[in-house]
């Protein structure tokens, strides 16, 4: 898996949450920068970025600033000091005040289970009635709906979107299937810093289901491949999963055995 490929020519700044199309020179530099970070396993990324940027003669000041801003954002993310991490902590505090069970899902759950990658939003698993209780209490107090009538909302303090997965709804295409979003208290575990995440088994089931039923979300299937590798899951792990996803898990497990040379 590469950070930047021919199909992904948009640059997302973690520090500012902006999304824009990059030109060919920026795309080339970003590709090299992403590879450098992977090789360094995210260690000393600012130093790696500085060396990469200054090694390119002709890179203008604006591009240098943009690249360093990105590196700082990535550093903060993997040090768990990013706006996204602050949003999760604020959510946990607000939910605890109301005694609302919830669990962090999506990419941030994948991070908690060892698959380290950046993301621009937070996914949470919550009951519909509990979501309404949260909004009744906190809407306008640092939290706002993404748009009128939306079930999703935004942390206005950090400018981070929070996407909700409603208990009883179905992942992926939203159509009825053997796997639905379970009650958070039944499948969550608490991290050392007090954040509730969905467990690994549930995360894999939901991501495989999403990837199976929404062809425009290949990232979910790739996340499963990386989770298999990071956690060194055996092929037999598939037998613990819902039968609906077992065959696809087996295919992903086989793909995970192919080594990638960066």
């Amino acid at each position: 898996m590469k950070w930047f490929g021919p199909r992904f020519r948009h640059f997302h700044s973690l520090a500012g949450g902006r999304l824009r199309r990059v030109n060919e020179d920026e795309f080339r530099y970003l590709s090299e920068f992403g590879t450098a970070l992977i090789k360094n396993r995210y260690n000393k990324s600012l130093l790696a970025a500085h060396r990469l940027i200054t090694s390119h003669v002709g890179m203008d000041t604006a591009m240098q600033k943009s690249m360093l801003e990105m590196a700082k954002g990535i550093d903060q993310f993997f040090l768990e000091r990013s706006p996204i991490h602050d949003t999760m902590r604020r959510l946990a505090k607000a939910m605890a005040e109301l005694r609302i069970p919830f669990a962090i899902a999506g990419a941030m759950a994948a991070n908690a289970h060892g698959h380290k990658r950046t993301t621009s939003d937070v996914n949470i698993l919550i009951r519909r009635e509990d979501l309404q209780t949260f909004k009744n209490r906190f809407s306008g107090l640092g939290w706002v709906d993404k748009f009128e009538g939306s079930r999703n909302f935004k942390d206005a303090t950090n400018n981070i979107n929070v996407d909700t997965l409603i208990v009883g709804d179905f992942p992926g295409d939203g159509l009825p299937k053997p796997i639905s979003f379970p009650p958070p208290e039944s499948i969550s575990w608490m991290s050392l810093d007090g954040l509730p995440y969905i467990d690994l088994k549930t995360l894999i089931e939901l991501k495989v289901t999403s990837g199976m039923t929404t062809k425009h979300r290949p990232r979910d299937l790739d996340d499963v491949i990386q989770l298999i590798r990071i956690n060194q899951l055996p092929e037999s792990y598939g037998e613990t999963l819902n039968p609906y996803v077992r065959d696809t898990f087996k295919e992903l497990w086989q793909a995970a055995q192919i080594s990638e040379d960066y």
Side-chain angles (χ1 to χ4, degrees), residues 232-250:
Q232 299 182 349
L233 300 180
E235 186 175 9
S236 59
Y237 187 85
E239 297 304 312
T240 70
L241 304 177
N242 188 295
Y244 181 74
V245 301
R246 286 179 186 171
D247 288 345
T248 301
F249 175 84
K250 183 175 181 179

Side-chain angles (χ1 to χ4, degrees), residues 20-162:
R20 67 177 176 83
R21 190 173 179 83
V22 299
N23 61 39
E24 291 299 320
D25 284 339
E26 290 175 312
F27 177 73
R28 185 173 66 255
Y29 296 142
L30 287 169
S31 297
E32 295 179 28
F33 174 51
T35 301
L37 288 184
I38 290 172
K39 286 182 176 179
N40 282 278
R41 294 294 188 270
Y42 316 115
N43 294 327
K44 300 180 180 178
S45 59
L46 280 175
L47 178 60
H50 183 266
R51 288 174 176 170
L52 173 66
I53 292 168
T54 55
S55 68
H56 285 287
V57 178
M59 183 185 291
D60 61 39
T61 302
M63 192 184 299
Q64 289 184 11
K65 183 178 179 180
S66 183
M67 292 281 285
L68 285 172
E69 181 182 339
M70 177 185 173
K72 290 176 181 177
I74 291 173
D75 247 27
Q76 292 302 303
F77 184 91
F78 290 112
L79 289 172
E80 300 186 359
R81 299 172 184 169
S82 73
I84 289 177
H85 290 87
D86 186 57
T87 292
M88 293 194 301
R89 295 182 184 107
R90 295 184 67 239
L91 267 175
K93 182 178 179 180
M95 296 295 183
E97 177 182 321
L98 298 175
R99 299 181 182 274
I100 291 177
F102 83 107
I104 297 165
M108 294 311 299
N111 271 270
H113 289 290
H115 173 30
K116 303 300 183 181
R117 72 167 176 89
T118 59
T119 186
S120 60
D121 56 19
V122 177
N123 299 125
I124 63 169
L125 177 64
I126 190 171
R127 288 181 173 84
R128 196 179 307 275
E129 59 271 25
D130 287 339
L131 173 61
Q132 191 58 54
T133 299
F134 170 84
K135 289 188 174 186
N136 290 343
R137 171 66 177 83
F138 288 107
S139 286
L141 300 176
W143 306 94
V144 297
D145 282 348
K146 290 181 68 174
F147 54 85
E148 186 176 354
S150 173
R151 73 181 186 189
N152 301 321
F153 57 98
K154 176 180 288 189
D155 174 5
T157 300
N158 291 305
N159 194 33
I160 297 296
N161 288 328
V162 180

